[in-house]
């Protein structure tokens, strides 16, 4: 173990410490991560404090110009950030804009720029539903998977914008969240799950999900891999079916909808009501998906980053730990749990991909499009993911206006 000053020239250490502080992790939580990632250095709370001071990293930067705070808040209010309360806004300013100021300052700025919106988002005035009891052994003991159709519109078919996600029930860490042309395609859903397994090489023990045709490939992949480890007499018992209302991810969908999807739903509704978009026209559907899927996915990625680094407070009748999801997932022993995940190999994953019929998880995100339509869209707008969220509707209009069938 190094005991000298080698750490002073470690750029990765400096960057990671800055990221941990921007996520507002407690020092003890940061200590867990750096001991795991940088074991070559000696660590304690005291040395952590000294290194933070050396790199000039602070939880609160009192020298931040008020204009910078206002600019960052204004930018967020122009996008999905306008759906956030001041606590969530403060966290997003820290993680996305590197603006680290006291929460009361963010509250005051939001009160000045958007007083009606701030009042409408007051959680104290929202009715709360009674909660039931829920427990979990540890990370990856039970994960909840579900599709979300709020952006799809009437009968889940107006807009080709499905969402499918997976959340760990112990830590409440979101494991993956994908925006897609359809969240009812079993091949696509299986591919999402396989990609997650390839990325992590860890298999959850139990899956909690709806009983539907879209989960067939996913369930096949899971049972096949679990059977190779011989942990259950009947691996199909690991698939826990039930209604969405009993699924742990169902509550999380409400946060996603209220803090993100409503913003895009307003633009989609405008296109529909002004008859600029025809849900029965195949070209219209493909153009809309080409524009909105990467933009919504980008905002979802940002929201997942926020969620996994925010602090969950205690809830009545919920026997689960409280803390930061990423920390609870990485260090479950500190919360009375144990990581229950099962190690996988690349060979096992390659084999199950072939057996299940699920192809390479890194396929083209726009493989649902007619080649002619896709080529024309790429010629007119090569990088839709770079379009500002507020301009998604403008990008759709631009493509449709210039698209020559």
């Amino acid at each position: 173990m190094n005991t000298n000053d080698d750490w002073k020239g470690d750029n990765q250490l400096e960057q990671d410490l800055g990221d941990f502080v921007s996520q507002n992790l407690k020092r003890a939580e940061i200590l867990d991560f750096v001991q795991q990632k940088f074991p070559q250095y000696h660590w304690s709370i005291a040395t952590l404090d000294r290194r933070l001071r050396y790199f000039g990293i602070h939880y609160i930067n009192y020298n931040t110009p008020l204009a910078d705070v206002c600019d960052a808040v204004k930018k967020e209010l122009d996008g999905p950030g306008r759906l956030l309360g001041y606590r969530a806004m403060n966290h997003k300013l820290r993680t996305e804009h590197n603006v680290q100021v006291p929460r009361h300052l963010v509250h005051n700025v939001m009160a000045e720029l958007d007083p009606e919106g701030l009042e409408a988002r007051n959680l104290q005035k929202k009715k709360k539903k009674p909660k039931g009891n829920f427990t979990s052994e540890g990370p990856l003991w039970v994960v909840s998977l579900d599709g979300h159709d709020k952006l799809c519109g009437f009968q889940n078919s107006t807009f080709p914008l499905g969402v499918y996600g997976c959340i760990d029930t112990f830590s409440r860490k979101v494991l993956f969240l994908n925006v897609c042309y359809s969240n009812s395609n079993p091949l696509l859903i299986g591919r999402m799950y396989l990609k997650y397994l390839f990325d992590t090489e860890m298999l959850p023990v139990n899956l909690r999900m709806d009983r539907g045709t879209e989960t067939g490939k996913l369930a096949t992949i899971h049972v096949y891999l679990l059977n190779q480890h011989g942990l259950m007499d009947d691996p199909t018992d690991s698939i826990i079916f039930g209604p969405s209302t009993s699924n742990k991810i169902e509550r999380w969908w409400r946060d996603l909808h209220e803090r993100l999807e409503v913003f895009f739903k307003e633009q989609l509704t405008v296109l529909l009501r002004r008859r600029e978009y025809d849900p029965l026209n195949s070209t219209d559907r493909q153009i809309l998906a080409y524009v909105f899927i990467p933009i919504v996915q980008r905002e979802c990625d940002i929201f997942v980053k926020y969620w996994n680094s925010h602090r969950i407070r205690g809830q009545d009748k919920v026997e689960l730990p409280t803390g930061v999801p990423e920390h609870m997932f990485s260090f479950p022993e500190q919360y009375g749990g144990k990581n229950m995940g099962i190690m996988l190999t690349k060979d096992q994953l390659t084999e199950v991909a072939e057996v299940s019929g699920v192809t390479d998880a890194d396929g083209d995100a726009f493989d649902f499009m007619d080649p002619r339509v896709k080529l024309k869209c790429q010629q007119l707008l090569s990088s839709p993911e770079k379009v500002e969220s507020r301009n998604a509707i403008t990008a759709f209009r631009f493509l449709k206006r210039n698209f020559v069938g």
Side-chain angles (χ1 to χ4, degrees), residues 15 38 43 52 88 116 135 175 230 237 262 274 340 352 356:
Q15 178 181 331
F38 301 96
W43 290 104
L52 288 175
E116 294 181 358
T135 60
L175 303 180
D237 289 340
V262 169
R274 294 182 180 178
M340 307 299 291
V352 75
S356 66

Side-chain angles (χ1 to χ4, degrees), residues 330-382:
S330 300
F331 305 97
E333 295 80 7
Q334 298 189 21
Y335 301 89
K338 177 183 178 182
N339 192 312
M340 307 299 291
I342 303 165
M343 294 286 292
L344 296 172
T345 66
K346 283 290 194 296
D347 289 341
Q348 290 174 324
L349 291 167
T350 301
E351 178 183 335
V352 75
E354 296 174 354
V355 172
S356 66
V358 176
T359 57
D360 183 10
D362 295 323
D364 186 351
F366 298 114
D367 59 7
F368 61 86
M369 297 183 70
D370 178 275
R372 179 186 60 86
V373 177
K374 181 169 67 173
L375 178 61
K376 186 63 176 178
C377 288
Q378 290 173 336
Q379 291 172 341
L380 293 170
L381 183 64
S382 60

Side-chain angles (χ1 to χ4, degrees), residues 72-84 89 109-110 113-114 121 263:
V73 173
K74 285 179 181 177
K75 184 174 182 179
E76 287 300 323
L77 292 176
D78 282 339
R82 68 180 177 80
L83 303 173
L84 302 178
M89 177 68 79
V109 170
M110 291 180 69
L113 298 177
D114 186 27
R121 292 184 293 270
F263 176 81

Side-chain angles (χ1 to χ4, degrees), residues 140-274:
L140 300 182
W141 172 246
V142 180
V143 300
S144 290
L145 303 104
D146 193 22
H148 187 58
D149 304 314
K150 290 294 185 181
L151 286 178
C152 294
F154 180 67
Q155 293 185 340
N156 300 333
S157 62
T158 304
F159 304 105
L161 297 171
V163 181
Y164 201 86
C166 176
I167 191 170
D168 175 63
T169 59
F170 177 82
S171 63
R172 281 85 86 203
K173 176 184 176 179
V174 177
L175 303 180
F176 65 80
L177 183 70
N178 294 318
V179 184
C180 50
Y181 192 78
S182 170
N183 60 9
S184 60
N185 184 329
L187 184 64
L188 186 58
I189 301 305
R191 188 179 301 172
M192 291 178 190
Y193 186 55
L194 183 66
K195 183 181 185 305
Y196 165 74
L197 296 179
F198 264 110
D199 289 343
T200 64
E201 297 185 4
M202 292 291 288
L203 180 71
V205 178
N206 299 288
L207 304 185
R208 183 73 168 79
M209 55 191 179
D210 296 343
R211 186 186 297 275
T213 57
E214 75 277 4
T215 59
K217 291 291 185 181
L218 186 156
T220 298
I221 292 171
H222 183 78
V223 171
Y224 185 89
L225 290 171
L226 193 61
N227 187 54
Q228 293 185 355
H229 290 82
L231 296 181
M232 295 183 178
D233 292 334
D234 185 357
T236 60
D237 289 340
S238 66
I239 307 297
I240 307 170
F241 290 112
S244 294
T245 52
S246 300
N247 199 332
K248 192 62 180 175
I249 198 173
E250 183 70 15
R251 169 60 182 84
W252 190 79
W253 289 136
R254 192 178 81 183
D255 283 324
L256 181 71
H257 182 66
E258 293 178 351
R259 299 186 180 191
L260 174 63
E261 291 178 331
V262 169
F263 176 81
F264 291 104
K265 194 64 177 287
E266 291 174 356
Q267 295 188 47
L268 296 170
T269 302
V270 169
L271 290 174
L272 188 64
R273 288 180 176 174
R274 294 182 180 178

